[in-house]
Amino acid sequence: MIDLFSGLDAWVLVSLLLALAFVLAFEFINGFHDTANAVATVIYTKAMPPHLAVFFSGVFNFLGVLLGGVGVAYAIVHLLPVELLINVNTGHGLAMVFSLLAAAITWNLGTWYFGIPASSSHTLIGSILGVGLANALINDIPLADGVNWQKAIDIGASLVFSPLAGFIVAALVLIGLKWWRPLSKMHKTPDQRRKLDDKKHPPFWNRLVLVISAMAVSFVHGSNDGQKGIGLIMLVLIGIVPAQFVLDLSSTTYQIERTRDATLHLSQFYKRNSDTLGEFLALGKSVEGDLPEKFRCNPQQTEPTITALLGTLKGVADYHSLPSDSRIEVRRYLLCLDDTAKKVSKLPTLAAREKADLDKLRKDLTTTTEYAPFWVILAVALALGLGTMVGWKRVVLTIGEKIGKQGMTYAQGMSAQITTACMIGLANIFSLPVSTTHVLSSGVAGTMVANKSGLQGGTVKTILLAWVLTLPATVALSAGLFWLASKALGS
């Protein structure tokens, strides 16, 4: 790892270390900001002592990051338009990374300080959108092209749908438990259990389910939220030291050949569908400019891009053998080909079977560009895991006592946690970032309604206000910071 950073100018190295520290600080804050939600019910119900709950939650968050893959990480990265991703200027990368991280950290710390279960996912997404929109304004790019709006809509839908689903499903689970065991002790609150049964802890089986489901929430939280930090670090590395990280230098000869084969098959795919795609891709025609511009992708330059990529990769068995400029070009070609393929797959004239083939080709194309070194995953896992062990008290009280007008029962805690673990696990399968905070707090609210406990209007309004304000606040903050940083670098 150390040799990857050798030969860097001192200012670049210092900037890189600062940027990495910012990302890890964001993940550390994410740990004690969001993971309080993962252990809130298990601590409030006295199923586990706080120190044990927080420790094991940290361990399972750590494991979740290690085993979670990078699908969600690149879903976050691709919120930015491809034109911004292929701009690997060091100064530009610094401005982008520091702006979005400063905005995200500021909002996260503010909401944590006031004990508001706000969402780190919303915070990060708003910050990224702000950078994309500011970049569009600075470079006279239409706002419609300043952000990958389709990806933003997909992620936005998951962030909106998941809390609603959490509310409904958790309520239904609780109703099912009440129907199945209406007289069970699991329907008591910790205070009722202590006063009526003179017992401090939940009944054994309820306690076991609470502990297992809390650890499951911690694991899926790590596998979902941890990937956001991985995506941020890859943005940092590609933006500041592109020669070392634009491609996975540890790629095997087989992986490189797979990329080359995917490019060949892509060319054959387009020729096979030339009747429907010929005009869109300008197949067989000469177009202005042989290759994609340095900071722009054009579908009509697909054929020369494929030719250039195949020429650059000819005989290459190890990416280390490519000069640094060639590595940057290869990544630019691959990103533009993937971007064009994504646009082609959305054309209504293309048959469903052909779209399925194209999706498989896209996965092979991005094998060596959508990756994360193990040390990056390990660093994020440690930051998130250690952050979990700090600062949990502020949010536990909100989740346990301030959402409903009555304290939470054991059955409510189990319902909310099981629902949260399943919802986030499902989101991981589809590589969609979701908010642990909003899914769990919505699940608790759903159980309060199902239990006819009522909701505390003040707390619910505060949570909803944070939910509504997070995106516009972080968009404005990161956009302003990026504009100031870009002006400073340009002056």
Side-chain angles (χ1 to χ4, degrees):
M1 172 186 143
I2 301 298
D3 61 309
L4 295 175
F5 306 116
S6 60
L8 296 179
D9 292 339
W11 75 271
V12 174
L13 183 59
V14 170
S15 300
L16 175 63
L17 293 176
L18 279 174
L20 292 176
F22 260 60
V23 176
L24 295 177
F26 172 79
E27 279 304 310
F28 183 83
I29 294 166
N30 187 4
F32 68 70
H33 186 280
D34 274 21
T35 310
N37 298 283
V39 296
T41 51
V42 82
I43 291 175
Y44 178 76
T45 56
K46 306 286 193 300
M48 288 183 83
H51 65 282
L52 276 181
V54 172
F55 173 76
F56 281 107
S57 181
V59 171
F60 277 90
N61 265 281
F62 176 85
L63 293 173
V65 179
L66 284 186
L67 303 174
V70 294
V72 174
Y74 280 93
I76 291 288
V77 169
H78 287 300
L79 272 174
L80 296 169
V82 68
E83 287 78 14
L84 197 55
L85 293 175
I86 61 177
N87 184 353
V88 290
N89 173 274
T90 297
H92 184 274
L94 284 172
M96 176 177 67
V97 168
F98 280 116
S99 300
L100 67 90
L101 284 174
I105 288 172
T106 300
W107 186 259
N108 261 2
L109 282 177
T111 51
W112 166 80
Y113 180 79
F114 291 105
I116 301 170
S119 166
S120 293
S121 299
H122 272 89
T123 301
L124 179 57
I125 289 163
S127 300
I128 291 176
L129 292 178
V131 166
L133 293 173
N135 179 72
L137 291 172
I138 292 169
N139 294 293
D140 295 323
I141 298 171
L143 289 181
D145 299 328
V147 171
N148 185 343
W149 289 111
Q150 185 56 56
K151 179 62 71 174
I153 290 169
D154 292 343
I155 291 175
S158 73
L159 289 172
V160 170
F161 173 76
S162 54
L164 293 174
F167 182 96
I168 295 168
V169 173
L172 291 175
V173 172
L174 181 66
I175 290 170
L177 289 175
K178 295 187 80 169
W179 172 81
W180 178 49
R181 300 285 297 276
L183 302 178
S184 171
K185 293 177 181 178
M186 66 180 165
H187 299 299
K188 293 181 179 179
T189 66
D191 281 345
Q192 291 170 338
R193 172 80 165 159
R194 186 172 60 252
K195 290 176 183 177
L196 299 176
D197 301 337
D198 196 27
K199 300 280 188 179
K200 182 179 179 182
H201 302 294
F204 174 78
W205 288 109
N206 302 145
R207 188 177 186 181
L208 184 64
V209 173
L210 282 164
V211 170
I212 292 174
S213 59
M215 295 307 106
V217 171
S218 297
F219 181 85
V220 294
H221 173 264
S223 61
N224 194 280
D225 273 38
Q227 288 192 53
K228 296 160 193 170
I230 292 170
L232 283 176
I233 288 186
M234 293 313 296
L235 278 179
V236 168
L237 295 173
I238 291 169
I240 300 176
V241 279
Q244 303 292 352
F245 293 99
V246 286
L247 297 174
D248 183 1
L249 296 183
S250 65
S251 297
T252 62
T253 302
Y254 169 75
Q255 289 173 312
I256 296 172
E257 288 178 351
R258 186 176 164 191
T259 301
R260 191 163 45 233
D261 289 344
T263 309
L264 278 170
H265 288 306
L266 187 66
S267 177
Q268 295 166 3
F269 176 91
Y270 289 146
K271 288 176 182 176
R272 186 170 70 245
N273 290 278
S274 59
D275 290 343
T276 54
L277 303 177
E279 185 175 349
F280 181 74
L281 300 176
L283 297 176
K285 301 175 183 177
S286 60
V287 294
E288 185 178 348
D290 290 332
L291 296 171
E293 297 175 33
K294 191 170 183 182
F295 306 130
R296 180 75 61 180
C297 292
N298 182 358
Q300 294 192 331
Q301 293 171 320
T302 296
E303 278 190 321
T305 302
I306 289 174
T307 301
L309 178 59
L310 291 174
T312 306
L313 291 181
K314 186 177 181 180
V316 174
D318 186 341
Y319 279 143
H320 285 93
S321 65
L322 282 175
S324 58
D325 288 344
S326 296
R327 294 176 200 166
I328 293 172
E329 285 179 355
V330 166
R331 178 175 182 269
R332 179 159 59 94
Y333 298 156
L334 287 170
L335 287 182
C336 284
L337 289 175
D338 179 60
D339 185 64
T340 297
K342 180 168 58 180
K343 292 173 181 174
V344 168
S345 68
K346 298 184 185 303
L347 294 176
T349 53
L350 196 64
R353 181 178 176 180
E354 297 290 359
K355 288 181 180 180
D357 283 347
L358 192 56
D359 287 341
K360 292 175 184 176
L361 284 175
R362 285 185 59 207
K363 289 179 182 177
D364 286 342
L365 271 178
T366 56
T367 299
T368 59
T369 57
E370 295 189 359
Y371 77 102
F374 179 73
W375 67 266
V376 170
I377 297 172
L378 184 62
V380 171
L382 286 171
L384 187 65
L386 291 173
T388 300
M389 303 178 189
V390 179
W392 48 272
K393 288 185 180 179
R394 289 182 183 270
V395 180
V396 168
L397 186 62
T398 300
I399 295 292
E401 294 185 354
K402 293 186 178 180
I403 292 179
K405 291 183 178 179
Q406 299 176 16
M408 181 170 35
T409 67
Y410 305 127
Q412 287 176 269
M414 292 188 295
S415 301
Q417 286 187 165
I418 291 169
T419 299
T420 301
C422 292
M423 287 289 174
I424 300 175
L426 192 63
N428 286 342
I429 293 173
F430 293 100
S431 298
L432 289 171
V434 292
S435 168
T436 304
T437 302
H438 289 155
V439 176
L440 182 64
S441 55
S442 297
V444 171
T447 64
M448 291 293 175
V449 171
N451 202 43
K452 298 180 181 178
S453 304
L455 298 173
Q456 290 194 32
T459 301
V460 173
K461 285 178 183 176
T462 302
I463 293 173
L464 287 175
L465 190 62
W467 189 84
V468 171
L469 289 180
T470 293
L471 275 179
T474 50
V475 165
L477 187 55
S478 66
L481 291 171
F482 184 71
W483 183 82
L484 290 172
S486 297
K487 290 297 180 185
L489 288 170
S491 60

